[in-house]
Amino acid sequence: MHHSERLLHLHLTIDRTKRFELHQKIKTSLGEGKTLATSYIELTNEALTSNALSTKTAEDFEAWLRGEEKDEGFLAYYIGLLENCLHKQEDVQSEEPVIALKPEPVKVPKETTKPRYVPEKPVPSRAERAHYYPADIQPARSKRRGIKTLVATLLVLLLAGGAYIGYPYVKSFFVAEKAPTNIKEAPPTPVAEEEPVIEESPSRQLWLAEKNVNLLMDVEGTEVAYIGDIGDRYEVVSEEDAYAEVKLGNTTAWAPLDQTTTEWPEPVLTDAQLIDWVDVNVNNEWLPSSPTSYFGMPKQELLDTLGEPMSTDGDVLNEYLFYPNGFFIVQQETIVAIDWTNTGVSRKTFTDLGASQIETDDALVYESPSYSLRLFVGATGQNRIRLTTVQ
C-alpha cells in the first residue's frame, strides 16, 4: 500500500485522542534536536527500518504536520509510530475478558382462586322491601288541565305574532316619514400597480474533479478546512484569483479552481440500475437491511441496529462511524453516505454501468437521479466504494 494511502487508513482507524497523545510524545522526544532513528527507539523500543540519521526538532515535526516541510524520513517515522499505536490498541481490545451472564430462573406464577363475594348484610326479599318501603302513589293529573294550558299558550303566541307583524302599520299612521337622504357615491379606490417580480438567477455550482482536494480556510493561507472527494458539489459564494469560495456547512472554504469543474453531465443510469449493481457486486452481509434504507436514518437508530462502532472520527462537516467492513458518514445526526473499505471490486467491474460522470487515474463517479456511486482506487488493489445521495 502507498505511504499516503496507508497514512489515510491509519488516520481513519486510530482515534483522534490517541493521535493527539502521540503528537505530544513525539514533540517531547525530539525536544531541541535528535535523530529520528534515536527517537523511534525511545518511543517503541524497536529499530526504525529506514536509515533516518538527520537531526530533527519538535519545531521541524510541527512544520511537517502543517505541510510546510516535505521529508520522506518524517513520513516513514510517523507511519511506523501510528502502526505501533494501532497494534497496542488491538492488543488491549483482545485482552478484555468476556463475562458470561448467568440465566435467571424462570418464575412460574402460582394459581390463585378468586374468593367469592359475600355481602356484609343480608339482602331483604321483595316482600320485606314492600313492607318496609311502601310505594308513594300519586294521583293522576287531570287531562282537562293540560288542554287548558296548551290553549292558553297558543293564544299568547298568536297575540305576540300579530303585534310583531302589525306594529309597523300602526306606527306609520302616527309618525311622519323622513325624506330620503342623498348619499354620494364614494370615488373608487385606485388599485396599486403590481410590482414586477424579479427572478433570482440560479446559484453557481462547481464539482470537485480530483480524488482528494484540500479546501483552505483562507485564500492566502495553507491551513486545510476540509478534504473533499471527487464528485462533491458545492455552491459558489465568490471567486478570487485561482480560488472559489464555496459553502461548507455553516461556514465557507476556498477550493482551487484547477481541481474543480462547472460542467457536469446528466445521469444516464436509473436508480434501480445503480442499486442493483451495488446489491450484486458489493459485500453487504454486514448490513441487516438494504444500503439505501440507511440514508436519512437518525444516528441513534443506527447505533441501536448495529451497536457501537469500533472507532469514530470527525471534521468540520462530517462525523465518521467505523465498523469492520466500512464506515457511515453522518451530517447533522443523520446518515448521508456509506463507505465499503478494503474491497476487492476492480475498476473493470464498473464498466458494466457504462459511461461514468467523471473519471481519473485513481477514481470513478457514476450517478442516477437519486444516488452517487464512487470508486477510490488504492495503490495495492484494495479499493474503497462510496454510495451517497445526490444533494
Side-chain angles (χ1 to χ4, degrees):
M1 183 181 292
H2 193 266
H3 283 321
S4 60
E5 292 289 335
R6 182 57 179 165
L7 181 59
L8 176 60
H9 176 73
L10 290 171
H11 268 238
L12 294 176
T13 305
I14 299 176
D15 188 75
R16 180 188 296 176
T17 305
K18 298 293 184 181
R19 297 202 307 268
F20 178 77
E21 293 176 356
L22 180 60
H23 292 174
Q24 300 302 318
K25 291 180 180 178
I26 292 173
K27 294 176 185 179
T28 303
S29 176
L30 291 177
E32 298 181 354
K34 189 179 296 182
T35 63
L36 297 180
T38 303
S39 174
Y40 188 86
I41 293 174
E42 291 179 356
L43 294 174
T44 64
N45 293 326
E46 298 177 1
L48 186 62
T49 55
S50 62
N51 189 13
L53 301 178
S54 57
T55 301
K56 300 293 182 178
T57 64
E59 288 77 10
D60 295 335
F61 177 69
E62 292 181 349
W64 180 78
L65 282 179
R66 293 192 299 269
E68 299 175 359
E69 180 179 341
K70 306 295 183 179
D71 192 329
E72 292 296 330
F74 259 131
L75 183 59
Y77 167 79
Y78 185 52
I79 289 176
L81 292 177
L82 285 175
E83 289 178 340
N84 183 268
C85 180
L86 177 62
H87 293 332
K88 291 181 178 180
Q89 179 177 325
E90 292 176 349
D91 293 341
V92 171
Q93 292 178 352
S94 62
E95 291 176 1
E96 293 181 354
V98 178
I99 301 174
L101 298 177
K102 295 183 179 180
E104 296 182 357
V106 179
K107 296 182 179 180
V108 179
K110 296 182 179 179
E111 296 183 357
T112 56
T113 304
K114 186 176 180 181
R116 185 177 179 181
Y117 171 75
V118 177
E120 296 180 357
K121 296 181 180 180
V123 179
S125 64
R126 180 179 296 182
E128 292 174 340
R129 291 198 299 270
H131 176 74
Y132 292 104
Y133 306 100
D136 187 10
I137 301 175
Q138 299 291 339
R141 295 183 179 182
S142 174
K143 294 183 179 180
R144 295 181 61 186
R145 182 180 178 182
I147 295 174
K148 292 179 180 180
T149 303
L150 178 61
V151 172
T153 303
L154 292 175
L155 289 175
V156 172
L157 293 175
L158 182 61
L159 292 174
Y164 179 77
I165 296 173
Y167 175 75
Y169 297 99
V170 176
K171 182 180 178 181
S172 63
F173 290 108
F174 301 99
V175 180
E177 295 183 359
K178 294 182 180 180
T181 305
N182 294 329
I183 301 174
K184 295 183 179 181
E185 295 182 357
T189 304
V191 180
E193 296 182 359
E194 295 183 358
E195 297 182 358
V197 178
I198 301 176
E199 296 183 358
E200 296 182 359
S201 59
S203 59
R204 187 184 171 203
Q205 297 176 338
L206 57 77
W207 290 260
L208 301 186
E210 295 185 8
K211 180 179 177 181
N212 294 321
V213 179
N214 291 336
L215 304 184
L216 303 180
M217 297 281 291
D218 194 323
V219 68
E220 297 180 354
T222 59
E223 186 176 357
V224 177
Y226 179 73
I227 300 177
D229 292 315
I230 186 172
D232 288 351
R233 181 177 63 178
Y234 300 96
E235 183 177 344
V236 178
V237 178
S238 63
E239 288 189 14
E240 183 176 341
D241 298 332
Y243 291 87
E245 185 182 12
V246 297
K247 289 185 177 180
L248 187 66
N250 297 326
T251 184
T252 60
W254 294 87
L257 292 175
D258 58 350
Q259 294 178 283
T260 65
T261 180
T262 57
E263 298 179 358
W264 197 257
E266 293 293 329
V268 296
L269 296 173
T270 64
D271 291 344
Q273 288 174 327
L274 191 145
I275 297 304
D276 288 345
W277 187 94
V278 172
D279 292 339
V280 172
N281 295 279
V282 181
N283 178 21
N284 295 317
E285 294 180 356
W286 61 291
L287 299 175
S289 304
S290 172
T292 57
S293 65
Y294 294 94
F295 296 138
M297 178 183 291
K299 171 187 172 183
Q300 186 58 49
E301 183 177 348
L302 176 71
L303 297 179
D304 295 340
T305 303
L306 296 182
E308 292 295 328
M310 297 189 307
S311 61
T312 62
D313 203 350
D315 50 38
V316 69
L317 187 61
N318 303 318
E319 181 182 5
Y320 305 94
L321 308 178
F322 293 93
Y323 289 90
N325 295 303
F327 60 90
F328 291 85
I329 300 178
V330 183
Q331 286 185 8
Q332 298 179 353
E333 297 297 315
T334 303
I335 308 302
V336 297
I338 305 175
D339 276 38
W340 288 263
T341 56
N342 300 327
T343 68
V345 180
S346 64
R347 188 189 191 103
K348 184 179 179 181
T349 310
F350 279 78
T351 57
D352 298 338
L353 293 173
S356 60
Q357 304 293 116
I358 190 172
E359 181 176 354
T360 63
D361 294 338
D362 54 3
L364 288 172
V365 178
Y366 289 86
E367 284 189 358
S368 67
S370 303
Y371 303 104
S372 176
L373 180 65
R374 306 173 189 178
L375 170 69
F376 304 101
V377 180
T380 59
Q382 296 294 323
N383 302 328
R384 178 163 53 94
I385 296 176
R386 172 173 297 171
L387 179 64
T388 182
T389 56
V390 177
Q391 301 178 353

